[in-house]
Amino acid sequence: MLPPVFRLPVFREPLHVGRPNIGDREKLREKIDDALDRRWLSSGPLVRELEERVAALAGTAHAVATCNATVALQLAARATGVPAGAEVIVPSFTWVATPHALDWIGLTPVFCDVDEETAGIDPAHAEKLVGPATGAILGVHAFGRPCPIDELTELADRHGLPLLFDAAHALGSTHRGRPVGGFGSAEVFSFHATKFINSFEGGALVTDDPRVAERARAMRNFGIGEDREVISSGTNAKMSEASAAMGLVSLERVDALIEQNTRNHRLYEEGLAGLPGISVRGQAPGERANHQYLVIEIDQAAAGVHADQVHTVLERHNVLARRYFHPCCHQLAPYSDRPETHAPLPLPRSEALAERVLALPTGEVIGEEEVDGVCRIIRWAVETGCADGAPSTTD
């Protein structure tokens, strides 16, 4: 055990999960200045350019930029014709924004258990949840790893259901060599500040279906079509030119950011290798992964410590790890208040996974020194059973 003198934080400044990546500031200023000079501040040429770039990266025919990904999920449900009041099968192991987006527009999230390897919807469990009120299936590519797309596609096709994907974590990743984005009826990306590609705040719906894209474009602008006539009900989901400028500058660095994230992933694997009960969650074999989330699993029986204990030790030393996604959505209000509606079956795999996972800092501000320090803290926590004290910065 290390001597108790090492009680000061290993890191003087906090290390954050999801700390924003910042692109070329001069280019950003130039783009914003251009928008100011045009006096066109919303849904202008920068937004259209961003949509073209996102569609190209996703390998889709269409991209519809929005002010955030939550409203993009709502547009996806509306534009694909999910009936009002319908049930939507959705994993419980996801950020609460996923079911909230549905609940807020009068749809009923019905929570599905997950496959623990992919952390995505378990198709066999989803099959059991399909019923007369089911209006769609919504898969989530948790931590950027594609959920079981092929099996869900077969299930949705067999029951005649729209298949949507929350791809907030998965921009730049692939499935069977194809970019994430072109699967199902529509997929949704997030450009929130915490995502490796961000537009301050924003999102996009991507699809190969021109009808879905046309409806979504109208719905994001109060239901106004291309001819400036109101053709449907709608909302205000438009992206600003300033957000698009940030997104474009960020996209210019997509390959470099993925390379940095991939390097950090390898460093964490090396730094934690051989530590009992600790493993770094991998991505789909043979596929490109953006690695924007670095997630470890802590097997309490093998490690001798719980994820909460390791989280506490890390936080004490200014490593602000995150317990994604704990508790699961079906364990949170308002859904836990109505289990007969939202979670008709137990979800043991979701709950078990949520107990084990811990997200660690990565991104452009995290390098070899930071990864080494985080790994030494975790190694010390496991080897000492999270005893009082702290690892040295020099031992």
Side-chain angles (χ1 to χ4, degrees):
M1 183 183 298
L2 292 164
V5 67
F6 300 116
R7 296 185 182 276
L8 293 176
V10 168
F11 295 101
R12 300 292 184 176
E13 297 295 326
L15 302 184
H16 295 265
V17 171
R19 189 171 188 184
N21 297 319
I22 307 297
D24 188 314
R25 299 185 185 210
E26 189 57 39
K27 288 184 178 179
L28 175 61
R29 294 187 186 100
E30 290 175 2
K31 290 181 183 297
I32 292 177
D33 282 343
D34 288 344
L36 294 174
D37 291 341
R38 284 190 295 269
R39 297 181 183 270
W40 194 347
L41 306 184
S42 180
S43 299
L46 293 178
V47 170
R48 290 196 295 273
E49 183 182 354
L50 178 69
E51 290 175 333
E52 292 172 0
R53 293 283 303 278
V54 170
L57 185 57
T60 58
H62 308 279
V64 182
T66 57
C67 56
N68 59 59
T70 301
V71 73
L73 283 173
Q74 295 171 337
L75 292 180
R78 296 289 198 203
T80 55
V82 180
E87 296 179 350
V88 178
I89 298 170
V90 62
S92 184
F93 187 78
T94 183
W95 177 234
V96 73
T98 308
H100 276 4
L102 305 171
D103 186 66
W104 194 252
I105 59 174
L107 300 174
T108 301
V110 174
F111 293 113
C112 185
D113 215 347
V114 297
D115 167 75
E116 291 182 78
E117 181 179 357
T118 67
I121 278 185
D122 173 17
H125 189 196
E127 175 86 59
K128 297 177 181 179
L129 299 178
V130 174
T134 305
I137 299 171
L138 173 55
V140 177
H141 305 313
F143 309 133
R145 179 165 182 166
C147 62
I149 291 173
D150 300 334
E151 294 89 341
L152 292 176
T153 299
E154 188 278 329
L155 177 62
D157 288 347
R158 181 153 40 85
H159 290 278
L161 296 170
L163 176 59
L164 309 174
F165 291 105
D166 180 340
H169 294 181
L171 181 70
S173 297
T174 64
H175 172 69
R176 297 195 184 279
R178 286 179 53 194
V180 167
F183 299 98
S185 303
E187 301 201 48
V188 167
F189 295 126
S190 173
F191 304 130
H192 182 262
T194 59
K195 302 302 183 285
F196 86 113
I197 298 297
N198 77 84
S199 62
F200 295 126
E201 177 71 272
L205 178 158
V206 291
T207 182
D208 283 324
D209 190 330
R211 296 167 300 175
V212 170
E214 181 181 11
R215 292 177 195 138
R217 287 194 182 99
M219 289 175 179
R220 74 170 171 186
N221 186 28
F222 307 105
I224 299 172
E226 293 183 1
D227 60 1
R228 306 301 299 167
E229 296 291 332
V230 176
I231 60 174
S232 71
S233 177
T235 187
N236 183 3
K238 299 187 297 294
M239 176 181 278
S240 74
E241 289 288 272
S243 287
M246 182 65 167
L248 287 167
V249 169
S250 189
L251 279 170
E252 290 179 358
R253 302 180 60 239
V254 62
D255 291 333
L257 291 172
I258 290 177
E259 182 179 350
Q260 176 68 44
N261 290 340
T262 303
R263 184 182 306 114
N264 285 345
H265 188 273
R266 184 181 67 253
L267 289 171
Y268 273 111
E269 286 183 321
E270 294 171 354
L272 298 174
L275 192 58
I278 306 295
S279 60
V280 178
R281 280 192 66 87
Q283 292 291 330
E287 302 289 350
R288 187 192 198 205
N290 61 36
H291 288 294
Q292 71 166 309
Y293 286 94
L294 191 293
V295 179
I296 63 171
E297 288 193 40
I298 302 173
D299 181 342
Q300 183 177 10
V305 293
H306 188 270
D308 279 337
Q309 294 175 283
V310 177
H311 182 228
T312 298
V313 171
L314 287 167
E315 194 169 56
R316 188 182 304 156
H317 300 291
N318 268 334
V319 181
L320 306 185
R322 298 290 298 272
R323 291 296 313 278
Y324 289 141
F325 300 103
H326 181 273
C328 297
C329 291
H330 72 281
Q331 298 170 310
L332 300 172
Y335 312 111
S336 60
D337 299 335
R338 294 174 287 167
E340 72 285 352
T341 298
H342 296 288
L345 295 173
L347 305 176
R349 293 189 298 278
S350 298
E351 294 167 20
L353 186 60
E355 286 297 320
R356 298 196 303 268
V357 296
L358 192 63
L360 302 177
T362 189
E364 67 176 358
V365 297
I366 303 298
E368 186 171 357
E369 181 179 349
E370 289 78 18
V371 173
D372 178 68
V374 173
C375 289
R376 283 190 296 103
I377 294 171
I378 295 172
R379 185 172 291 277
W380 176 90
V382 172
E383 291 174 349
T384 66
C386 293
D388 289 337
S392 168
T393 58
T394 59
D395 71 323

